[in-house]
Amino acid sequence: EKYENTLTKISGDIVYDKGIKEIVGDDSTEITYVQESTKLTNSVIGIYRGKNGQIDKAAVIGIYNENNTDFPLGFKENVIALMSTVLEEGFEEIYISSLHIIPGHEYKKVTHGAYRNKEGFKNIECARPLLYSKEHYDEVVSFIEEIANDLDKDEALVLMGHGSDHAANSAYVMMQYLMDRNPSTIHSYMGTVEGFPEIEDVLKEMKSYGYKKVKLMPFMIVAGDHAINDMASDEEDSWKTIFEKEGYEVETILKGLGEFETIRKIFAER
């Protein structure tokens, strides 16, 4: 209720903090991440109203749909906001478990945000992402072995990673290097949607091996939009369509890495 006079309606369903109006403009309805300090919190004020019209959540980054009690629009929880909350509740130690694949932009936002705001805590520790040390890569290649064991003689496994413009994108190249040197994963290939290697690079690598079939699988925690649309759909530019045009028989595996017990155990051990 303290925030009522700071809110501005920009449509029938969306409200946002007046303090970010200069950044997003008066007509924006798709704000997904804006960070700003306020007197009461270290995050932008996101407001989410339940069925009774009461403010159910605040001190989080995001824009919320007043009429939706289950899923907030554009919701992105902020590590700094969470740290502020748990500090107020009396906690002195924080252990942050990463569910990132590589130590890229998003991972750095988490770790840098945590360590820059450590005042008041006795201890803060951040777990490593899935791919960090050589030992971590070996663990994941061993997991790929489990998937590749079911390949036919004329079949290849193609993994779709997200990719990044961050230097940590080299993790995907490292994975390919290690898979190439493991007899059990030698017919496995790594590509990315937004980095390197691209699907064109994967096709070039595969061309001389006489494959007739391809298994496509997301190398992402969740089989979400990229997996469903960019990988497995019948759209003109999907990976499935591109491989089929090259003459391959394609099978898609719509399971994110997080659905495999082996990967879940790896994250838990981190």
Side-chain angles (χ1 to χ4, degrees):
E1 293 177 357
K2 292 179 182 178
Y3 299 117
E4 285 285 356
N5 61 357
T6 72
L7 300 177
T8 299
K9 278 190 175 290
I10 49 179
S11 76
D13 297 323
I14 308 296
V15 293
Y16 74 103
D17 185 358
K18 284 182 180 178
I20 59 174
K21 185 186 293 187
E22 293 182 3
I23 301 174
V24 300
D26 290 338
D27 301 323
S28 177
T29 58
E30 296 183 4
I31 311 158
T32 56
Y33 183 83
V34 184
Q35 184 172 338
E36 173 182 289
S37 293
T38 70
K39 291 181 179 179
L40 298 178
T41 69
N42 289 323
S43 70
V44 115
I45 304 302
I47 300 298
Y48 172 52
R49 296 179 184 278
K51 290 180 179 178
N52 58 3
Q54 298 298 309
I55 294 175
D56 290 334
K57 293 182 181 180
V60 293
I61 284 181
I63 298 303
Y64 302 88
N65 187 319
E66 295 177 31
N67 301 323
N68 189 331
T69 58
D70 298 317
F71 189 78
L73 297 177
F75 176 80
K76 286 195 177 181
E77 189 64 90
N78 180 274
V79 170
I80 301 172
L82 286 174
M83 290 175 66
S84 176
T85 299
V86 298
L87 185 62
E88 290 172 4
E89 293 179 1
F91 292 97
E92 297 178 330
E93 298 186 45
I94 291 183
Y95 298 87
I96 299 174
S97 178
S98 162
L99 289 179
H100 300 92
I101 302 287
I102 63 174
H105 293 300
E106 300 303 322
Y107 178 76
K108 294 301 182 183
K109 284 179 186 176
V110 172
T111 56
H112 290 179
Y115 290 129
R116 281 199 302 265
N117 292 273
K118 61 184 179 181
E119 186 177 348
F121 294 99
K122 288 183 177 179
N123 188 42
I124 294 176
E125 292 188 27
C126 298
R128 301 299 192 191
L130 186 66
L131 299 175
Y132 197 86
S133 70
K134 172 60 164 54
E135 179 184 355
H136 295 163
Y137 284 87
D138 290 337
E139 288 177 336
V140 179
V141 171
S142 294
F143 160 72
I144 300 300
E145 284 185 37
E146 300 174 19
I147 310 299
N149 279 339
D150 294 331
L151 293 176
D152 294 332
K153 290 183 179 180
D154 59 352
E155 188 174 32
L157 173 66
V158 176
L159 302 167
M160 173 189 269
H162 189 281
S164 173
D165 59 1
H166 192 280
N169 184 84
S170 58
Y172 299 105
V173 181
M174 175 81 159
M175 277 295 299
Q176 186 65 65
Y177 178 89
L178 293 175
M179 290 191 301
D180 285 346
R181 280 148 186 78
N182 183 324
S184 298
T185 57
I186 197 169
H187 299 295
S188 302
Y189 297 85
M190 179 68 71
T192 66
V193 187
E194 298 180 11
F196 178 86
E198 297 178 310
I199 185 172
E200 291 79 11
D201 302 303
V202 174
L203 285 167
K204 288 177 185 176
E205 288 294 318
M206 291 175 55
K207 212 149 201 175
S208 61
Y209 288 93
Y211 299 117
K212 295 180 180 178
K213 296 184 286 184
V214 171
K215 276 186 180 175
L216 292 177
M217 176 179 154
F219 191 73
M220 305 174 188
I221 300 300
V222 175
D225 180 64
H226 283 307
I228 295 169
N229 296 310
D230 298 326
M231 188 189 81
S233 75
D234 293 322
E235 296 294 326
E236 191 73 17
D237 58 350
S238 77
W239 284 24
K240 176 177 177 286
T241 300
I242 291 171
F243 275 106
E244 286 175 340
K245 285 183 176 179
E246 292 291 325
Y248 296 101
E249 180 183 329
V250 179
E251 176 187 347
T252 57
I253 303 174
L254 280 174
K255 286 182 68 175
L257 296 179
E259 296 184 61
F260 293 90
E261 185 178 1
T262 300
I263 297 298
R264 295 199 298 271
K265 284 183 176 178
I266 289 174
F267 275 114
E269 288 167 0
R270 292 280 190 273

